[in-house]
Amino acid sequence: MTRRPKLSVALFGILATAAIAGGLWYEFVGGLKPVAAAAQSATGQVAAKIPVTSFTVKKTDFPVHTYGLGVVSPFKTVTVRSRVDGQITKVFFRQGQMVKEGDPLLEIDQRPFTAALEQAVAKKAQDEASLKNDQLNLERFQKLAKQQFETQQNLDTQQALVDQMTAQVKGDQAAIDNAQTNLGYTSIKAPISGRTGFRLVDPGNIVHAADTTGIVTIAQLQPIAVQFTEPEEQLQAIDRAHDSGEVPVEALTSDGTRTLSQGRLVIIDNSVNQATGTISLKARFDNKDNALWPGLSVTTRMLVDTRRDVVVVPQDGVQHGPAGLFAYVIGDNGKVSARPIKVGQSGDANAVVSEGLNVGDRIVVAGQSRLFDGALVDDKPQGTPTADASEGAAQGKAELKTGSAD
């Protein structure tokens, strides 16, 4: 019973102390706020400018490209085979070598074919001698027949012998031509210019005209082709461009980051693939630097049209909002406003704006994440290095010089 009053007095003391401390803190903080506000008013401080990158809207030509996926293929591929049977005696090319049309590739043993040619020549000489004798006899029979000393039957028989031997001599000449052709086949030459593949035979191997594997494959690399596909929706635009003249086609790496070669469209397939809804096309590339290789997968970029004198802005300047597309336009006072726009066409890194922007407008193309209507910005034109970038470049040069000195 005696402890309760003491506890109440102690609790009352603690509460009173806390109230006094709270009042003092309120007066202290309350006194600081007017001071801070007065100091800010005296110095004239305003909200910090948001750094952005700007682009000045202008009119220019806008190339319209279509993209597709393709595979590089040689314009011509030839599997070299022997046209006669025989043993390979010489090989004149290396595997993977570039050869020109008419270059010797290998040689087959010529001795059997030389002998066959000489035999055909000798047979013709023999038959020509017989033909000459029969012709002389025919002349005698003709003289005797005029004097009625030879019958017409014998004259006709001799004439038939002459005709027979004449035909025999022509046959002998054909045999000589055939033997010469077979002898020529023993020297195998490149039928086209291109790069050889793996050699499938070696010196000493026997080859036959009936072999299906061949000796070596030659692929034409200059020029070379790319077969690719485009959506059927692009067919009309592609056909119009092809009818108007040459259609430029670029072959890019499979990821589309680097241009490998430039060529032109040469063939549009005569039907659309209904299973895929695509049209097949073929482009020709000179490929002087052999950047394209048969079987290589590439991305194609084809120029099908060029829109003249239109408003073009970077894609980074086009923003997506709940109400549609818009762009942050920088006013003369340095503040931005969100202006609705309409994009007529886009491609690569640029877009054609059909409504909402005028030539000379400055729009924000980088740094939009912190912007809002009325935000004050510190803009730098696209391509102008920032102070931090300049300092970094200077520091990099200094480090490079130091490394060179070491």
Side-chain angles (χ1 to χ4, degrees), residues 54-57 328-332 334 358 360-364 379:
S54 65
F55 174 83
T56 301
V57 177
Y328 283 113
V329 180
I330 304 173
D332 294 336
N358 300 313
D361 288 342
R362 288 184 300 148
I363 65 171
V364 179
D379 70 294

Side-chain angles (χ1 to χ4, degrees), residues 149-165:
F149 293 120
E150 189 61 74
T151 64
Q152 186 64 34
Q153 180 180 2
N154 290 337
L155 179 62
D156 293 341
T157 300
Q158 188 61 33
Q159 181 65 53
L161 288 175
V162 172
D163 294 341
Q164 181 179 354
M165 290 307 302

Side-chain angles (χ1 to χ4, degrees), residues 364-385:
V364 179
V365 294
Q368 297 99 323
S369 60
R370 299 170 55 189
L371 296 184
F372 53 89
D373 266 345
L376 192 62
V377 297
D378 177 18
D379 70 294
K380 293 187 180 296
Q382 192 178 51
T384 300

Side-chain angles (χ1 to χ4, degrees), residues 155-354:
L155 179 62
D156 293 341
T157 300
Q158 188 61 33
Q159 181 65 53
L161 288 175
V162 172
D163 294 341
Q164 181 179 354
M165 290 307 302
T166 301
Q168 184 66 38
V169 171
K170 290 183 179 180
D172 293 338
Q173 182 59 48
I176 292 174
D177 294 341
N178 183 63
Q180 288 177 334
T181 300
N182 288 334
L183 179 61
Y185 288 154
T186 60
S187 178
I188 300 178
K189 300 179 181 180
I192 62 172
S193 298
R195 185 178 294 273
T196 61
F198 292 112
R199 191 176 66 229
L200 303 178
V201 295
D202 295 307
N205 289 148
I206 303 295
V207 292
H208 305 85
D211 292 342
T212 58
T213 55
I215 297 171
V216 68
T217 299
I218 301 176
Q220 185 181 20
L221 302 184
Q222 297 173 350
I224 204 167
V226 172
Q227 295 182 355
F228 61 103
T229 57
E230 293 286 354
E232 59 183 351
E233 293 81 5
Q234 302 289 344
L235 177 57
Q236 299 301 324
I238 296 172
D239 189 50
R240 286 195 302 269
H242 191 240
D243 290 341
S244 301
E246 287 193 359
V247 181
V249 180
E250 294 178 276
L252 314 176
T253 54
S254 56
D255 56 4
T257 58
R258 184 166 56 90
T259 301
L260 297 176
S261 186
Q262 296 180 343
R264 60 184 178 87
L265 179 67
V266 291
I267 299 175
I268 302 176
D269 201 2
N270 58 5
S271 61
V272 174
N273 189 326
Q274 295 183 351
T276 60
T278 58
I279 182 73
S280 297
L281 307 104
K282 179 183 284 190
R284 174 191 175 106
F285 297 81
D286 291 336
N287 198 33
K288 296 299 184 181
D289 57 354
N290 289 326
L292 300 179
W293 209 262
L296 181 69
S297 297
V298 296
T299 298
T300 58
R301 179 169 59 193
M302 181 167 53
L303 179 65
V304 296
D305 193 13
T306 301
R307 299 189 60 181
R308 304 292 181 184
D309 198 29
V310 292
V311 174
V312 179
V313 300
Q315 286 272 27
D316 294 336
V318 179
Q319 300 296 299
H320 297 260
L325 301 179
F326 69 95
Y328 283 113
V329 180
I330 304 173
D332 294 336
N333 57 0
K335 295 182 179 181
V336 298
S337 60
R339 185 184 299 178
I341 62 173
K342 289 185 179 180
V343 174
Q345 202 159 17
S346 61
D348 295 340
N350 297 322
V352 177
V353 178
S354 56

